[in-house]
């Protein structure tokens, strides 16, 4: 009971602090509304959780987030299509992410091809733009729609990370992944309810042992490494049609072309990506009156990665170096096809 009173007191303090600022600035007020989508308490709670329920630290984090959004025009990013369409398709083919369905509680299921994403078909700016667009579409369209359907606030999702194909060459992606992770940590905190790791090869298992102690306890509690493709465990929280395609049978693995476009949730042909793509293009046409659509990436200022992200990246790098120095590189690459 005392914890509930303490939590409510922290929420009240944070709300009073942030309201004082946004009431004076229409830009901050608008972007704050885009963040909370009418669920003010739930969103204040996210920032408080991220700062261990310290109202002053949560206030600074939220204020920094709102300023970042205004300075980088994040509120308009859903009206900035990545053009031409062929470029967007190659980004989808190399940044593997999609929504496969919903849990029985109504949380969107985001499938992520962590092992097979190459991030090598466009500049960093395009991948960051695409990532933020998916975040914003989730927060402004997908989650509000789920909340309306279920008649209660749904403000988080679950993520299923497929580690199939993870190799030592993943080191090349650490810089970009650290940028994306920093954007999420600083501006979209506590949006993931649980992270499920599936199809984990030896490389992941080796790194997880050294990275796990560096993570905050609240993050560690959210990560579940499932055996094999995770099908049986995931079926406890979602129905079969919502399973990501790489979880549907043992040894199925993750392939960009494993099944037809409607089944492979990474594909631009999947209903989620079609809806997202059409939504962005529709928003672009609405804004066309003000400013013509331009080709080129939508540049977003990258935040400085927090110390913990930098330490994790360096730890993974040194761990891979150590494994390679020990003559295990060939063994590790052979192991990436095997499930842990």
């Amino acid at each position: 009971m005392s914890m509930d009173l303490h939590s409510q007191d922290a929420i009240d303090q944070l709300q009073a602090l942030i309201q004082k600022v946004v009431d004076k600035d229409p830009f901050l007020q608008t972007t704050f509304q885009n963040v909370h989508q009418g669920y003010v308490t739930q969103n204040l709670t996210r920032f408080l959780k991220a700062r261990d329920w310290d109202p002053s630290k949560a206030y600074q984090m939220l204020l920094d987030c709102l300023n970042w959004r205004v300075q980088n025009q994040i509120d308009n990013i859903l009206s900035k299509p990545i053009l031409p369409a062929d470029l967007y398709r190659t980004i989808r083919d190399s940044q593997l992410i999609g929504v496969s369905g919903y849990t029985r509680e109504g949380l969107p299921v985001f499938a992520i091809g962590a092992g097979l994403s190459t991030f090598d078909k466009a500049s960093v700016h395009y991948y960051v733009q695409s990532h933020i667009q998916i975040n914003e579409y989730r927060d402004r369209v997908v989650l509000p729609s789920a909340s309306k359907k279920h008649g209660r606030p749904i403000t988080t999702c679950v993520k299923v990370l497929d580690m199939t194909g993870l190799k030592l060459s993943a080191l090349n992606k650490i810089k970009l992944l650290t940028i994306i992770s920093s954007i999420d940590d600083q501006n979209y905190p506590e949006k993931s309810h649980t992270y499920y790791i599936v199809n984990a090869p030896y490389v992941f298992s080796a790194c997880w042992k050294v990275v796990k102690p560096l993570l905050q306890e609240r993050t560690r509690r959210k990560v579940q490494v499932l055996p094999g493709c995770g099908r049986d465990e995931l079926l406890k929280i979602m129905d079969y049609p919502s399973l990501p395609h790489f979880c549907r049978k043992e040894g199925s693995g993750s392939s960009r072309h494993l099944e037809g476009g409607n089944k492979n949730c990474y594909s631009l042909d999947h209903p989620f990506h079609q809806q997202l793509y059409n939504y962005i293009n529709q928003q672009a046409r609405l804004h066309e009156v003000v400013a013509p659509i331009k080709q080129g990436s939508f540049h977003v200022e990258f935040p400085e990665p927090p110390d913990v992200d930098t330490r994790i990246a360096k730890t993974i790098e040194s761990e891979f170096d150590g494994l390679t120095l020990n003559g295990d590189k060939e063994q590790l690459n052979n192991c990436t096809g095997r499930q842990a």
Side-chain angles (χ1 to χ4, degrees):
M1 182 68 177
S2 59
M3 179 60 192
D4 290 341
L5 289 171
H6 170 75
S7 302
Q8 189 57 53
D9 185 51
I11 292 168
D12 292 343
Q13 286 185 52
L14 177 55
Q15 184 158 11
L17 286 168
I18 204 67
Q19 208 66 52
K20 198 178 291 185
V21 176
V22 300
D23 283 348
K24 296 176 182 175
D25 189 321
F27 293 107
L28 291 181
Q29 192 170 55
T30 298
T31 204
F32 184 45
Q33 288 167 352
N34 276 327
V35 169
H36 67 64
Q37 291 293 316
Y39 300 109
V40 180
T41 300
Q42 288 77 10
N43 280 279
L44 294 176
T45 300
R46 290 194 297 109
F47 285 87
L48 283 162
K49 282 182 180 177
R51 290 296 178 263
D52 298 318
W53 291 92
D54 183 320
S56 59
K57 290 181 179 177
Y59 164 72
Q60 192 57 56
M61 182 189 193
L62 179 51
L63 185 60
D64 288 345
C65 166
L66 298 180
N67 281 321
W68 172 80
R69 292 179 65 88
V70 170
Q71 289 159 12
N72 290 279
Q73 301 180 50
I74 301 301
D75 293 329
N76 296 329
I77 201 167
L78 287 177
S79 63
K80 306 292 181 182
I82 293 174
L83 299 169
D86 285 350
L87 172 60
Y88 187 65
R89 186 176 287 277
T90 62
I91 288 172
R92 289 280 59 81
D93 285 343
S94 54
Q95 183 184 32
L96 304 180
I97 183 171
V99 172
S100 62
Y102 293 81
T103 68
R104 292 190 192 100
E105 292 185 347
L107 277 62
V109 178
F110 276 80
I112 300 168
L116 289 173
S117 290
T118 56
F119 298 101
D120 62 349
K121 303 297 183 187
S123 72
V124 169
H125 290 285
Y126 278 116
Y127 286 115
V128 169
Q129 177 181 352
S130 165
H131 179 79
I132 294 174
Q133 284 179 333
I134 290 173
N135 279 358
E136 291 293 310
Y137 186 74
R138 173 198 66 197
D139 294 352
R140 292 197 242 168
V141 178
V142 176
L143 291 172
S145 174
S147 300
K148 187 176 180 181
K149 179 181 177 181
H150 290 271
R152 59 182 174 79
I154 293 177
T155 57
T156 59
C157 63
V158 300
K159 291 183 177 177
V160 184
L161 283 74
D162 179 28
M163 295 294 167
T164 298
L166 189 68
K167 293 183 173 66
L168 292 173
S169 57
L171 274 179
N172 301 330
K173 298 180 271 183
I174 280 181
K175 183 178 179 183
L176 174 58
L177 292 175
T178 303
I179 289 169
I180 287 174
S181 171
S182 300
I183 287 171
D184 284 354
D185 289 344
Q186 295 176 41
N187 301 291
Y188 302 93
E190 299 292 320
K191 294 300 296 188
S192 299
H193 182 272
T194 314
Y195 298 89
Y196 295 103
I197 309 291
V198 302
N199 296 322
Y202 176 71
V203 169
F204 172 81
S205 305
C207 288
W208 180 238
K209 286 175 187 171
V210 292
V211 167
K212 191 176 180 181
L214 297 176
L215 299 174
Q216 293 182 351
E217 177 58 28
R218 63 185 171 79
T219 304
R220 277 203 301 271
R221 284 199 303 265
K222 291 182 179 183
V223 180
Q224 294 187 31
V225 183
L226 303 182
C229 68
R231 179 191 58 191
D232 295 342
E233 290 299 312
L234 291 173
L235 283 174
K236 294 175 183 176
I237 65 163
M238 67 184 75
D239 295 328
Y240 187 84
S242 287
L243 280 179
H245 59 275
F246 50 80
C247 297
R248 297 199 169 192
K249 58 184 179 181
E250 285 296 333
S252 64
S254 172
S255 168
R256 298 172 183 80
H257 310 293
L258 186 67
E259 301 185 50
N262 283 347
K263 298 287 177 65
N264 183 343
C265 60
Y266 301 149
S267 169
L268 181 56
D269 300 318
H270 187 272
F272 168 75
H273 283 297
Q274 282 294 301
Q275 289 159 16
L276 168 59
Y277 188 71
N278 291 336
Y279 182 89
I280 291 175
N281 280 297
Q282 183 183 43
Q283 294 299 308
R285 285 193 293 272
L286 292 174
H287 285 76
E288 213 175 359
V289 182
V290 181
I293 300 172
K294 294 179 182 177
Q295 288 193 206
S297 61
F298 184 81
H299 283 232
V300 173
E301 185 182 331
F302 304 145
E304 274 299 308
D307 289 343
V308 66
D309 281 1
T310 306
R311 273 191 291 133
I312 288 171
K314 286 180 178 175
T315 301
I316 292 173
E317 199 160 355
S318 62
E319 182 69 11
F320 274 151
D321 286 346
L323 289 165
T324 307
L325 287 171
N326 290 334
D328 291 338
K329 183 172 182 179
E330 184 178 349
Q331 178 192 352
L332 284 171
N333 278 319
N334 290 337
C335 284
T336 54
R338 294 210 302 264
Q339 294 171 357

